[in-house]
Amino acid sequence: RIPRDAEKSLGTIALQGLDRWLLKTSRLEAGEVGAVRSVFETLAASAGLADTVVLQFGDAAPNALALPGGTVVVTDGLVRLFRSDERLLAAVIAHEMGHIQHRHSLRRLLEGSASALIVGALVGDVSGVSALTVNAPIILSSLHYTREAEREADQYAFALLRKSGRSPNDFADAMRRFEAMEFCLALRVTAHDEALKQSGPNVDHRDERAARERITDSCMDRPDKALEGRDGELAELRHTDRETGYMHTHPVTRERIAAAEAAASQ
């Protein structure tokens, strides 16, 4: 029952909060921005959402977010992880458009906050707006959709990718890239922690933070290469059936990869 215009206002509030607390100013080069925007606009046109969705960028870990009202945020980390591969970018953007079509972010906010405050904010109640300014970015940055919401967005993405002349296999490849990054991080952090144990208690925490940043950076740059020759360790990680995912907001599972492959074969 919430009007689209009111939902856009909520999305603006959420984006402003994310810009303050989570997202830094994008450092992508003009060519990278243009390439992502071209993919975005082509998908929006195919989906009939050209007048509904808006693309924003921010410097953060690999992620993409669908905000209430139609804003899709793509992070620098995502572009870097995908090495500007438009197939993978299109797959994730199509998925985020699915969340927008089904209004999943708004639903999550209504479930995760005091609904009365949200409705109050949308109709102009000052106290409600104040509460949303604080809470909406926090909720959205830790957003973990239900399995049903993810399935709906995935199915929407598969259909949109086919409609735009692409393949749902691109979505499976994007999920594999996320999985490779997560496995790379898990293996290298474990190795780093073991090395710390052997080096004793006198660790400069500033050096430690820098070391972990280097690990993250290395796993965003061709993570598949970092996993070559480590089949035994990877098999153990997969055996734990752990959920991986960018910022842990969109879990990457074998089930989702298989669904994309099945959609591609239809």
Side-chain angles (χ1 to χ4, degrees):
R1 297 183 182 181
I2 295 176
R4 289 284 183 176
D5 287 345
E7 185 181 351
K8 286 184 178 180
S9 298
L10 177 56
T12 299
I13 292 172
L15 181 60
Q16 289 171 347
L18 289 171
D19 284 341
R20 283 198 304 272
W21 298 330
L22 178 66
L23 301 174
K24 299 178 182 177
T25 301
S26 175
R27 297 184 292 178
L28 294 177
E29 296 180 359
E32 294 173 313
V33 170
V36 178
R37 193 170 297 282
S38 177
V39 170
F40 181 86
E41 290 174 352
T42 299
L43 287 172
S46 296
L49 295 174
D51 296 328
T52 302
V53 293
V54 177
L55 177 64
Q56 297 285 352
F57 295 91
D59 187 13
N63 199 8
L65 294 170
L67 304 184
T71 296
V72 174
V73 179
V74 171
T75 68
D76 292 8
L78 186 71
V79 178
R80 180 180 172 190
L81 176 66
F82 286 170
R83 301 178 68 83
S84 297
D85 186 332
E86 70 165 27
R87 294 183 314 107
L88 308 187
L89 289 167
V92 170
I93 290 172
H95 173 86
E96 298 305 326
M97 287 184 179
H99 283 312
I100 287 172
Q101 180 66 30
H102 291 288
R103 306 179 86 179
H104 288 150
S105 297
L106 180 61
R107 293 174 184 272
R108 179 65 183 88
L109 276 173
L110 288 169
E111 293 167 355
S113 296
S115 296
L117 286 177
I118 289 180
V119 175
L122 296 176
V123 298
D125 177 71
V126 176
S127 63
V129 172
S130 176
L132 273 181
T133 301
V134 174
N135 292 323
I138 296 172
I139 294 171
L140 287 171
S141 65
S142 60
L143 196 61
H144 195 121
Y145 292 114
T146 65
R147 285 184 177 271
E148 178 61 21
E150 288 290 71
R151 188 193 67 79
E152 286 181 342
D154 286 353
Q155 292 299 320
Y156 182 93
F158 302 157
L160 179 54
L161 290 171
R162 283 194 297 263
K163 187 176 181 180
S164 61
R166 300 175 183 274
S167 170
N169 264 329
D170 297 344
F171 185 86
D173 288 342
M175 295 298 102
R176 291 190 188 95
R177 184 68 60 83
F178 288 128
E179 184 180 62
M181 181 189 71
E182 292 279 349
F183 286 162
C184 174
L185 286 170
L187 292 175
R188 291 193 171 178
V189 167
T190 298
H192 177 72
D193 289 345
E194 287 297 323
L196 280 181
K197 289 179 182 178
Q198 296 179 11
S199 64
N202 299 320
V203 177
D204 188 325
H205 291 289
R206 290 172 299 179
D207 291 343
E208 173 63 10
R209 284 194 296 270
R212 290 188 179 271
E213 287 175 2
R214 287 194 295 272
I215 290 173
T216 300
D217 288 344
S218 67
C219 287
M220 286 170 56
D221 186 15
R222 298 296 295 272
D224 51 326
K225 292 293 184 181
L227 301 180
E228 291 180 352
R230 309 187 72 169
D231 294 345
E233 295 165 286
L234 292 176
E236 185 176 346
L237 284 174
R238 290 193 176 99
H239 183 69
T240 61
D241 197 30
R242 63 199 292 273
E243 284 190 347
T244 63
Y246 44 115
M247 282 187 66
H248 302 286
T249 56
H250 302 68
V252 177
T253 63
R254 307 310 300 175
E255 178 184 357
R256 295 179 70 193
I257 292 173
E261 293 173 334
S265 66
Q266 293 176 356

